[in-house]
Each structure stands twice: as structure tokens, then as C-alpha cells.
Amino acid sequence: MRIDYHTHHFRCGHAVGTLEEYIESAIAKGMEQIGLSDHMPLLHVDPETYYPEMAMPIAELPAYVEECLRLQEKYKDEIQVRVGLEGDYIEGYEEQIEKIVTGYPWDYVIGSVHFLGTWDITDFRQVHHWEGKNIIKVYEQYYDAVRKAAASGLYDYIGHIDAIKRFGYRPEEDTTALENAALRTVAEHGLAIELNAAGIHTAAKEMYPSRRMLEQAYALGVPVTYGSDAHHPDRIGQKGSEARDMLKSVGFSKLATFKRRKRDMISL
């Protein structure tokens, strides 16, 4: 894989390694582009009393961007470094998110749904929230948030679009209509999605999204990029060959890349 647009580092609290170590790992693996995209600071919960090590503190955000820009210049002759952010979509906090999205010179912003209210559905420490829940109702709430994220105008692509499956909770009911509606909203608003390799290492045992959703994205003309979701420098480009083969088998021949909030397609 020639690119990797979804990475994290020590500032978020649950990843290891410096930004420079991720860049050097990408160079060692022969990549042409590396996206730095750590988690947006928490806005809707108190970081002092919420679960620890969820995202970078708001005070760290300027330093994060400054370091990204410095490294972008330092390594410009070796690899194209893209300055990004994984920006949680939180309904009701669009104004605060917009200030962060417009306040820095991002190359791209990933729109990810981790939270349903104050429940982070991707946090292993919060799996107990599934207890007693009507699973299909949770899926409906999740995909409603995905559609709102896609329609918000805040993001360049949607991250791990079916991350709701991470811990293996799947409803008996068919979720195809929910997934297709989310993809149609992505298509209607001109966004891309990512093929996120990290799902393979979870109870879901497959990438985000599923092959079926990838096929539907292809049918709708939704562009796709690739992200390892690496939380360790060694994970840069993880499962890249498998991701490339899957995309090609579905019919994709190009990957979405981003610079200064503009999308460009490169050959897969």
C-alpha cells in the first residue's frame, strides 16, 4: 500500500510512538504518503472525570499541529506528510467541532462516530453498556449519527463506517438498509470512506467496512482511501496487501488522497 491516512501517536493516550517514528516507519515501508490523524480533543465530556487516555488534551492541539507541519517540511524530500485529524462527530457540538476544523491548516479531517451520547462504542472499557440493550436500536442510533456526520460539511471522509460491529454485537435483524442509507448520504454529500484495516484485530474479524458495504460504495461511486488505524509505528500499512487486493477485487482502481482539504485520486 502506497499510502496510509489513519494513524495515532502518544498524545492521544492510548497509542505509543512519536509522530516522527510513524513517518520513519512509513518511509521504511516504501510509502509515498503518510497521514497524521490523531484524535480530536474531547468536547462533550469532562476529560478529568471521564475514562482516561481517550484523546489528546485540548491544550496539546496547537503543539500537535505545529509538530506535524515541522515534520512535513523536514521530510518533504522523502515522503509526502499530510496533516490530519480524526474528528469525532458529536451531535449538538457541531459549532465547537467547526472551530477546530476551520482553525488549523488541515489537509484532511476524518469524520468518525465513536460516541453515542457519552458511550464510546469503540472503547473496550465500555463494552458493559451493551448489556440489556436492543442491539438493532443501537445500530439505528449509530447509523443515524453517521448520516448526520456525512451531512454536516465538517469532514472529508468517513472513518471506519461500520465500527459499531467492533465487539461482535450484531442484531438478528438485517442491517443492510441502515448501511446503504449511510452510504447514500456519504455519496450525496461528496465524501469518501476509508478501508480501515484495524477491524481484523477485533471481534468483528474483518476490516471496516465489510466487503458488502465496499461493493455498495463502489456501486454508488463513493471514493475510498486506506487507513491502518495504527496505534504503534510498526502497524503502519498493516494488512495493506490484503486491503489492496480486496479493493481491486471489488472493482476499485484508484485511492482517494487529500491535500489542503482537496481530494485527489491516485492509482491503486
Side-chain angles (χ1 to χ4, degrees), residues 19 32 65 74 125 146 166 206:
L19 291 171
E32 296 177 4
V65 176
K74 177 178 178 178
R125 297 168 297 183
V146 171
R166 176 173 184 173
E206 63 179 5

Side-chain angles (χ1 to χ4, degrees), residues 29-81:
K29 293 177 180 180
M31 289 192 169
E32 296 177 4
Q33 296 184 28
I34 180 66
L36 308 174
S37 60
D38 222 332
H39 290 284
M40 182 183 76
L42 298 177
L43 299 176
H44 72 302
V45 292
D46 182 355
E48 298 298 321
T49 58
Y50 193 65
Y51 291 85
E53 301 178 337
M54 297 294 294
M56 80 174 90
I58 191 72
E60 281 289 318
L61 187 58
Y64 165 69
V65 176
E66 288 167 9
E67 185 178 1
C68 288
L69 293 170
R70 177 178 62 79
L71 293 170
Q72 185 180 61
E73 177 65 21
K74 177 178 178 178
Y75 286 95
K76 66 182 180 181
D77 295 328
E78 298 177 69
I79 192 170
Q80 298 174 55
V81 175

Side-chain angles (χ1 to χ4, degrees), residues 110-181:
I110 307 171
S112 293
V113 175
H114 296 100
F115 288 94
L116 298 179
T118 59
W119 172 22
D120 184 342
I121 55 92
T122 68
D123 184 4
F124 70 93
R125 297 168 297 183
Q126 301 184 46
V127 176
H128 62 277
H129 286 298
W130 282 101
E131 295 174 11
K133 292 286 197 305
N134 182 325
I135 295 177
I136 190 63
K137 294 297 184 184
V138 177
Y139 269 64
E140 289 170 356
Q141 186 182 0
Y142 173 81
Y143 280 110
D144 178 66
V146 171
R147 291 196 302 274
K148 288 172 178 172
S152 69
L154 296 169
Y155 307 109
D156 299 295
Y157 70 85
I158 299 297
H160 44 59
I161 193 169
D162 61 349
I164 189 68
K165 69 188 180 187
R166 176 173 184 173
F167 295 110
Y169 289 89
R170 296 178 187 262
E172 295 180 1
E173 297 87 349
D174 186 5
T175 58
T176 300
L178 293 174
E179 295 164 357
N180 287 356

Side-chain angles (χ1 to χ4, degrees), residues 18-19 143 191 218 249:
T18 65
L19 291 171
Y143 280 110
L191 272 65
Y218 180 75
S249 70

Side-chain angles (χ1 to χ4, degrees), residues 214-268:
L214 269 184
E215 291 172 347
Q216 182 65 13
Y218 180 75
L220 291 170
V222 174
V224 176
T225 191
Y226 161 81
S228 65
D229 212 337
H231 284 65
H232 188 290
D234 290 349
R235 287 287 179 91
I236 289 289
Q238 65 174 327
K239 302 295 181 181
S241 296
E242 292 94 326
R244 184 181 62 245
D245 291 346
M246 182 185 294
L247 288 170
K248 285 185 173 181
S249 70
V250 169
F252 289 97
S253 60
K254 294 183 180 296
L255 284 171
T257 64
F258 301 87
K259 185 177 182 180
R260 296 173 185 169
R261 307 298 306 275
K262 301 293 184 182
R263 186 171 68 223
D264 187 34
M265 304 300 294
I266 64 169
S267 173
L268 180 58

